[in-house]
Amino acid sequence: GQPALGMGLGALWELLSLDAPIGGYLPINATVAAGACLLMALGDGAVSPEAAFPFGVAAGWSHRFLESFLRDRRAACAARCERRLALGGAPGFGQTAAIELAKQAFMTFCILAAALMFRPSLAAAWPGAPESVRGALSFGMSMSPWIGVVALAHALRVTA
């Protein structure tokens, strides 16, 4: 394995997604973004981290969008449980929670599976990508730790 790459990408994604999930706002899902990057950048047929990084962004944002959709639908689940309680019945929290967790797990699995399935195409296309694209992604990847440190400073409200 490559623990340094895994640790580095994981830490980077955590730094880049420091906004807390408060109220209706959900930041990019750092765990899914890092997972997608690592699935693409490790093992046989892996691509370079700078090639995998944009797909981590896409996976993290996709997860965030779909999770917002699931959260909106969960409001209906809460209303059903509330009606059951009002009628003197059992709310069915356990069954409802199990179903919602299964939906969440399935969604996450599908997003990561899509990243893994796209990896061979990216590995084949990356060597022929224009140098300007490869250079821009390499530069962006080299700048991302600094952007992460700025995000950390902002989250901690550090002032000079």
Side-chain angles (χ1 to χ4, degrees), residues 2-11 13 30-43 46-47 49 52-53 55-56 112 115-116 119:
Q2 296 179 6
L5 179 61
M7 189 172 67
L9 281 174
W13 279 111
T31 305
V32 172
C37 280
L38 290 172
L39 283 173
M40 296 186 95
L42 296 174
V47 299
F53 194 80
F55 293 94
L112 293 175
L116 193 56
R119 185 171 82 168

Side-chain angles (χ1 to χ4, degrees), residues 4 101 121 123 136:
L101 286 171
S121 299

Side-chain angles (χ1 to χ4, degrees), residues 68-85:
S68 293
F69 174 75
L70 285 179
R71 284 181 177 218
D72 290 343
R73 292 188 44 100
R74 284 185 196 130
C77 293
R80 277 195 307 274
C81 290
E82 186 177 350
R83 278 194 306 275
R84 289 180 193 147
L85 279 172

Side-chain angles (χ1 to χ4, degrees), residues 31-154:
T31 305
V32 172
C37 280
L38 290 172
L39 283 173
M40 296 186 95
L42 296 174
D44 293 335
V47 299
S48 66
E50 55 267 10
F53 194 80
F55 293 94
V57 171
W61 279 109
S62 297
H63 193 280
R64 182 191 90 51
F65 173 77
L66 293 171
E67 187 174 4
S68 293
F69 174 75
L70 285 179
R71 284 181 177 218
D72 290 343
R73 292 188 44 100
R74 284 185 196 130
C77 293
R80 277 195 307 274
C81 290
E82 186 177 350
R83 278 194 306 275
R84 289 180 193 147
L85 279 172
L87 295 172
F93 290 136
Q95 180 183 10
T96 300
I99 290 169
E100 294 304 313
L101 286 171
K103 288 178 188 176
Q104 183 85 15
F106 181 71
M107 176 190 64
T108 302
F109 172 80
C110 288
I111 290 171
L112 293 175
L116 193 56
M117 289 175 19
F118 191 73
R119 185 171 82 168
S121 299
L122 180 60
W126 182 249
E131 186 57 39
S132 59
V133 170
R134 294 165 52 109
L137 288 173
S138 180
F139 177 74
M141 189 72 179
S142 70
M143 289 290 103
S144 56
W146 297 108
I147 295 168
V149 168
V150 169
L152 178 61
H154 176 73

